[in-house]
Amino acid sequence: MITVIEQPVEARLVAAAPRMPSIPAKLHYDRRDPFAIRMTFPAPATLEGVEVCWTFARELLAAGLHSAEGTGDVRVRPYGYDRTVLEFHAPEGTAVVHVHSEQIRRFLQATSDLVPVGFEHLHLDLDRDLAELMRDAC
């Protein structure tokens, strides 16, 4: 049975220069963490020169397809007819990327096929999560 969905997406970094370079980012969903989405950027695309992974709510990504959402480190909003803007805020600065909305819709549909929205709680393993917290506290 499939437990993880990973989808490459073409992200366009919005920079001061007129040209927007393409970044081969990945969207990742694991039904063991059913409320979360991860978006990973390869090392060459980051200021630190290492792979960077942002984790945020699946609900945030879905809502951001239709209206501006998010007040924290990750913000999502529609841009024109076929793009979605994701903003990633960190102490080092802000990265703004455009992704084709259809790529996000396909990804979200695949996550919903795996874990329907509203049924995420059925996929939580609270005993395992508590054991991890206790192990990390020692």
Side-chain angles (χ1 to χ4, degrees):
M1 175 183 272
I2 295 173
T3 61
V4 174
I5 297 169
E6 197 167 84
Q7 177 180 314
V9 294
E10 180 183 320
R12 291 207 169 275
L13 181 63
V14 178
R19 188 171 164 212
M20 296 188 334
S22 179
I23 301 168
K26 283 186 186 170
L27 289 170
H28 180 94
Y29 181 78
D30 186 334
R31 77 180 194 170
R32 293 172 297 181
D33 191 5
F35 292 101
I37 298 290
R38 289 198 310 268
M39 189 166 191
T40 306
F41 297 94
T46 68
L47 294 174
E48 299 84 11
V50 296
E51 183 176 272
V52 172
C53 182
W54 287 83
T55 303
F56 51 96
R58 173 168 73 164
E59 182 179 30
L60 173 66
L61 186 60
L65 286 169
H66 307 289
S67 64
E69 299 290 336
T71 57
D73 294 342
V74 179
R75 300 171 192 173
V76 184
R77 69 179 184 277
Y79 182 77
Y81 173 73
D82 66 343
R83 294 201 186 257
T84 300
V85 174
L86 292 99
E87 294 180 13
F88 300 96
H89 297 262
E92 301 81 20
T94 300
V96 179
V97 296
H98 289 187
V99 177
H100 286 284
S101 299
E102 186 54 37
Q103 290 181 322
I104 294 173
R105 282 189 198 94
R106 268 197 319 270
F107 175 74
L108 288 171
Q109 182 59 54
T111 70
S112 291
D113 291 346
L114 185 60
V115 177
V117 173
F119 291 89
E120 294 91 348
H121 65 283
L122 298 176
H123 296 273
L124 294 174
D125 185 347
L126 297 178
D127 291 333
R128 182 201 64 193
D129 294 343
L130 183 57
E132 281 184 28
L133 282 173
M134 298 303 288
R135 183 190 66 223
D136 291 344
C138 297

